[in-house]
Amino acid sequence: MTMQVDVLNIKGQKTGRTVELPAEVFGIEPNDHVIYLAVKQYLAAGRQGTHKVKTRAEVKGASRKLHKQKGTGGSRKGNIRNPLYKGGGTIFGPKPHAYDFKLNRKVKDLAKISALSYKAKESAIVVVEDIQMDAPKTKQLVEVMKNLNIADKKTLVVLPEYNDNLYLSTRNVPNVASTLLADINTYEIMNADVLVITENTAKIFAEEEAVA
């Protein structure tokens, strides 16, 4: 079973053509848990993990014992680098470490397909004829977004191959981003309000194992 979607031109008008979006990709029952895992992995991989505090062995300060162990009437004290003193080391503070973790390929694929199915259920997918630009023109791209009635929405444009002019144009628009079909990930899909899929990209989706 497939979904028939109208192809619009850059003026927002129907071209009379339609494309088929496979139900295996856009019509499954979304799995919220795998979406959560995929988004968590994406965000975790972006963390530097360089946080660091100094322990009592690393802070400045003399190592002599402050006073003798017994007979002073006070508590026992070691050196001034004791974590209990101002300027002393930190107990159980953060250490540099990586946050990323591994997900099985099947889990990542299911998360991506689940995210696409959510967008299809929300009618948040727009298929537009291939956008041709002779040079980077942000004004022209903004006009296209207005014609598609999505100028005020966070938009992800999915392309079949790299387009330098279109990429440079989307880079200047705060709420518009572009990505290649081969590079699309669950976080980008869920983070966007609307997916704009070019006609050629939609045809690739219809092929077997387009989302892998």
Side-chain angles (χ1 to χ4, degrees), residues 35 38-39 41-43 108-109 111-113 115-116 119 156 158 178-192 195 211-212:
I35 291 177
V39 171
Q41 184 200 39
Y42 179 90
L43 295 176
K108 296 174 72 172
D109 288 348
K112 197 184 303 182
I113 293 172
L116 291 171
K119 294 304 177 187
L156 178 65
V158 185
S178 64
T179 186
L180 299 181
L181 175 58
D183 298 335
I184 195 171
N185 62 69
T186 304
Y187 175 81
E188 289 179 323
I189 298 170
M190 296 303 295
N191 189 47
L195 293 185
V211 177

Side-chain angles (χ1 to χ4, degrees), residues 47-53 94-99:
R47 298 184 66 175
Q48 289 184 321
T50 55
H51 38 37
K52 172 74 169 66
V53 296
K95 299 282 187 179
H97 70 280
Y99 282 91

Side-chain angles (χ1 to χ4, degrees), residues 55-110:
T55 66
R56 65 184 299 166
E58 298 168 313
V59 296
K60 290 183 178 181
S63 60
R64 68 178 181 84
K65 189 171 175 61
L66 295 178
H67 59 69
K68 63 182 182 178
Q69 182 83 342
K70 296 179 180 295
T72 65
S75 62
R76 295 169 292 182
K77 296 182 176 67
N79 60 47
I80 198 67
R81 294 178 298 181
N82 189 312
L84 298 179
Y85 292 117
K86 180 180 179 181
T90 301
I91 306 173
F92 303 131
K95 299 282 187 179
H97 70 280
Y99 282 91
D100 59 323
F101 58 93
K102 184 179 182 301
L103 279 183
N104 292 333
R105 184 61 176 270
K106 288 184 178 180
V107 173
K108 296 174 72 172
D109 288 348
L110 179 58

